[in-house]
Amino acid sequence: MTSAPLEDSRDSVLRHTTDNGVSWITLNRPAAMNAITPDQREHLISRLDHASADPAVRAVVLTATGKGFCAGADLRGASDGAERVAGDVARLIRGGAQRLIAAVLDCEKPVIAAVNGTAAGLGAHLALACDLVLAAESAVFIEVFIRRGLVPDGGGAYLLPRLIGPQRAKELMFFGDALPAAEAERLGLVNRVVPDDDLTKTARAWAERLAAGPTRALALTKALVNASLEADRPAAFAAEAAAQELNMTTADAQEGVRAFIERRPPGYRGR
């Protein structure tokens, strides 16, 4: 695995490497359970944007060091005594947590969350926004907002009902109880739970399989599935037809058809 060049001090709290077409983004503030600072959030958004634009990146893995995946937003210093103006909080949420979740949802490469420990608040939503979620057996998910007297943010009230339905979503958000990985898998929040020691290995296998696939077809599939949650049938069908039309102009689609006709495995190049 080759390390990306160090850009600035942010790289110490957000590690990044690229290997076999996979961008590995690792939150690295274990002493703070990987709670996300504003600067770290901006660096993470930048990495996701770069993954979308870089043809050499064909899949992304988002994970963390230590015992926590992400404890949410780092709230230290949030209340500095300054007078709050109406609209400040909404502006902060739109420009911060919501932009981060949107960066995951809009990334044109498939994003895998490898949840190594506690995912709370914004950290839980960061994981659940990913296309595929792997969780270590020791991982837990917590809708922690209610414990602090807060309304869920970071897209939680948008993501959870779409994943598990409104009743289950309200139960998690109203009580704020810790949800073990096995129960999260049963509810459909997690694709697979694996032993802690197997998490990185499984994430690597899944990511490299995706990185070897038809990258543009995967991007269009992701966009179709995400949009289908908002669209009626005519709109969804029209989007599907347009996506197929666009995809058929790619080299990978043509290679896939040729390989089928020639009865051989396809060799996709992400083009």
Side-chain angles (χ1 to χ4, degrees):
M1 184 177 289
T2 57
S3 297
L6 287 176
E7 295 175 349
D8 51 43
S9 61
R10 295 177 301 179
D11 286 278
S12 65
V13 296
L14 191 76
R15 295 178 182 172
H16 177 253
T17 58
T18 301
D19 185 38
N20 289 336
V22 180
S23 174
W24 290 78
I25 303 174
T26 305
L27 302 176
N28 186 39
R29 297 184 69 223
M33 294 289 284
N34 294 303
I36 297 178
T37 65
D39 191 58
Q40 190 180 22
R41 178 195 67 226
E42 294 306 306
H43 197 22
L44 179 51
I45 291 171
S46 177
R47 282 294 181 195
L48 290 164
D49 289 344
H50 182 267
S52 282
D54 187 355
V57 174
R58 297 172 65 183
V60 177
V61 175
L62 181 59
T63 190
T65 59
K67 296 181 179 180
F69 174 74
C70 177
D74 191 332
L75 298 179
R76 289 177 296 180
S79 300
D80 56 7
E83 182 179 357
R84 180 174 291 159
V85 177
D88 281 352
V89 174
R91 191 178 305 108
L92 180 66
I93 295 300
R94 287 194 302 268
Q98 290 178 352
R99 278 182 58 243
L100 174 58
I101 298 306
V104 178
L105 293 170
D106 295 339
C107 182
E108 294 182 24
K109 309 299 167 61
V111 183
I112 297 174
V115 183
N116 55 296
T118 299
L122 177 60
H125 302 163
L126 180 62
L128 299 178
C130 293
D131 302 300
L132 300 170
V133 183
L134 294 169
E137 289 177 341
S138 62
V140 294
F141 297 81
I142 311 173
E143 287 296 316
V144 75
F145 298 93
I146 200 67
R147 298 185 184 183
R148 299 169 180 162
L150 301 175
V151 172
D153 62 36
Y158 171 87
L159 291 167
L160 275 171
R162 286 163 171 76
L163 291 168
I164 58 175
Q167 259 63 38
R168 290 288 193 182
K170 290 175 197 173
E171 180 182 345
L172 295 179
M173 290 179 166
F174 285 2
F175 293 113
D177 293 334
L179 185 72
E183 181 65 7
E185 182 184 30
R186 190 186 70 79
L187 290 177
L189 290 173
V190 169
N191 292 88
R192 191 78 52 84
V193 176
V194 299
D196 288 33
D197 292 342
D198 291 343
L199 181 64
T200 299
K201 178 178 69 175
T202 305
R204 186 182 306 281
W206 282 31
E208 290 184 353
R209 184 176 176 185
L210 290 169
T215 306
R216 297 312 305 163
L218 287 168
L220 289 165
T221 301
K222 172 176 179 170
L224 282 174
V225 173
N226 286 350
S228 74
L229 299 173
E230 314 299 329
D232 57 24
R233 182 174 59 81
F237 277 24
E240 178 186 273
Q244 193 69 286
E245 176 77 22
L246 178 61
N247 188 64
M248 286 306 296
T249 67
T250 67
D252 279 350
Q254 295 167 38
E255 164 63 9
V257 173
R258 278 196 305 271
F260 175 75
I261 294 171
E262 296 169 8
R263 298 184 179 182
R264 60 173 174 80
Y268 297 122
R269 299 184 296 112
R271 301 291 194 277

